[in-house]
């Protein structure tokens, strides 16, 4: 393929072409080496949703979330899987392909962005599960709030890119951060409004909960089915924090890129 077809080296067009090739390769490897292939994109959130639905509707009396609860759960669990899988892979983004990172002339941020893109595509592949439950679960509403979902995806992409640029180089220089990140993700699942609303928190914790950047993003994911979730303050906090984390990540990445290459 000629340079003119994909852009000259160092151009945005060449960067995007390389990003697409790497992300597509990740997906091919994931699906071609697994017997269940695509089903793994939906099994994890589906099983998690089934467990929480059973526990909070059949065993314990639930006073959090909204009905239908299974739609409430899945609408947040699917983007959570995207977030969790991306952040987990950020910790190994450079070490996994150390030789390529050192030897290629592609901007090193591509090793972070390819993870965000490939995991984001897996999120898109899992959306039919949400559609099926939204269609068949009794009492499901569906409205104009669907227009907020692309905004939610854009905000989550910005947040993930910022976190990736921050986490990936730090995990090369500080090995213990890989396990620390795994522990933080476990705690963050329960600190994120997935099985509950921010408004279900005690009043003195609601503002604190809103400062989780995923709170406003997940609110937007739920808008097609639960329009009463709307909270402008929560959204504005998420927008501010997503861009702030992106700015911090870009700065940290620039400062640490050279030490990371020496370490690799």
């Amino acid at each position: 393929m000629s340079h003119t077809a994909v852009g000259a080296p160092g151009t945005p067009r060449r960067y995007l072409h390389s990003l697409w090739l790497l992300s597509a390769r990740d997906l091919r490897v994931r699906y071609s080496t697994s017997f269940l292939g695509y089903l793994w994109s939906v099994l994890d959130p589906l099983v998690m949703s089934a467990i929480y639905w059973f526990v909070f509707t059949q065993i314990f009396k639930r006073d959090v979330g909204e009905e239908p609860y299974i739609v409430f759960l899945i609408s947040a669990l699917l983007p959570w899987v995207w977030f969790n899988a991306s952040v987990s892979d950020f910790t190994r983004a450079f070490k996994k392909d150390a030789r390529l990172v050192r030897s290629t002339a592609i901007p090193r941020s591509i090793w972070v962005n390819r993870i965000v893109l490939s995991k984001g595509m897996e999120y898109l592949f899992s959306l039919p599960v949400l559609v099926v439950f939204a269609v068949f679960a009794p009492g499901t509403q569906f409205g104009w709030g669907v227009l907020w979902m692309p905004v939610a995806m854009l905000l989550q992409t910005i947040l993930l890119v910022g976190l990736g640029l921050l986490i990936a180089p730090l995990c090369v220089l500080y090995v213990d951060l890989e396990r620390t990140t795994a522990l933080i993700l476990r705690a963050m699942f329960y600190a994120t409004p997935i099985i509950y609303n921010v408004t279900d928190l005690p009043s003195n914790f609601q503002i604190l909960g809103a400062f989780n950047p995923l709170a406003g993003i997940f609110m937007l994911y739920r808008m097609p089915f639960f329009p009463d979730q709307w909270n402008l303050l929560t959204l504005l906090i998420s927008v501010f924090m997503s861009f702030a984390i992106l700015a911090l990540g870009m700065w940290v990445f620039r400062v640490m890129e050279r030490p990371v290459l020496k370490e690799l």
Side-chain angles (χ1 to χ4, degrees):
M1 185 176 291
S2 66
H3 286 333
T4 56
V6 297
T11 61
R13 188 174 180 182
R14 171 59 70 89
Y15 182 92
L16 292 174
H17 177 73
S18 302
L19 176 61
W20 172 254
L21 289 178
L22 288 169
S23 301
R25 186 198 70 172
D26 288 347
L27 290 172
R28 282 196 301 270
V29 169
R30 176 176 171 83
Y31 293 138
S32 64
T33 59
S34 168
F35 177 73
L36 291 177
Y38 163 73
L39 289 179
W40 283 118
S41 296
V42 299
L43 276 177
D44 186 29
L46 193 57
V47 170
M48 290 174 67
S49 298
I51 291 171
Y52 284 109
W53 174 84
F54 182 76
V55 168
F56 288 110
T57 64
Q58 306 301 310
I59 299 179
F60 298 112
K61 183 179 179 181
R62 175 179 56 86
D63 57 358
V64 296
E66 298 196 28
E67 294 292 346
Y69 191 57
I70 190 68
V71 175
F72 180 84
L73 280 173
I74 293 177
S75 58
L77 273 172
L78 293 181
W80 168 259
V81 170
W82 175 16
F83 179 86
N84 183 73
S86 297
V87 174
S88 296
D89 281 5
F90 290 155
T91 62
R92 302 177 295 275
F94 292 142
K95 290 182 283 188
K96 184 179 177 182
D97 294 302
R99 184 178 299 178
L100 283 174
V101 174
R102 290 195 309 265
S103 60
T104 57
I106 306 172
R108 274 83 190 188
S109 61
I110 203 168
W111 304 102
V112 167
N113 293 333
R114 70 180 250 216
I115 293 172
V116 179
L117 179 57
S118 61
K119 299 303 180 185
M121 291 173 69
E122 289 182 19
Y123 165 74
L124 291 176
F125 295 159
S126 68
L127 282 178
V129 175
L130 176 60
V131 173
V132 168
F133 278 97
V135 169
F136 291 102
T140 304
Q141 302 180 49
F142 189 78
W144 62 269
V146 69
L147 299 176
W148 282 111
M149 290 191 72
V151 179
M153 292 181 64
L154 176 61
L155 274 178
Q156 184 162 344
T157 299
I158 291 169
L159 174 63
L160 283 171
V161 170
L163 286 172
L165 295 175
L166 184 64
I167 293 170
L170 287 174
C171 283
V172 173
L173 301 176
Y174 306 99
V175 179
D176 289 340
L177 278 179
E178 185 173 341
R179 292 186 177 181
T180 304
T181 301
L183 292 174
I184 292 172
L185 281 172
R186 289 181 192 175
M188 194 171 178
F189 175 84
Y190 295 100
T192 299
I194 298 171
I195 59 178
Y196 59 87
N197 289 324
V198 171
T199 52
D200 292 324
L201 295 170
S203 56
N204 53 329
F205 283 101
Q206 288 183 18
I207 292 294
L208 184 63
F211 272 90
N212 179 341
L214 290 176
I217 295 172
F218 284 9
M219 177 194 74
L220 296 182
Y221 281 119
R222 284 174 167 150
M223 286 297 291
F225 316 105
F226 309 102
D228 58 330
Q229 292 273 299
W230 177 257
N231 186 302
L232 181 59
L233 177 61
T234 302
L235 175 59
L236 291 176
I237 291 173
S238 291
V239 170
F240 172 78
M241 292 197 67
S242 296
F243 279 95
I245 290 171
L246 176 62
L248 177 62
M250 292 172 66
W251 178 76
V252 168
F253 192 85
R254 281 199 303 269
V255 170
M256 294 195 168
E257 184 174 3
R258 187 165 294 179
V260 165
L261 291 177
K262 290 181 180 179
E263 185 68 23
L264 291 174

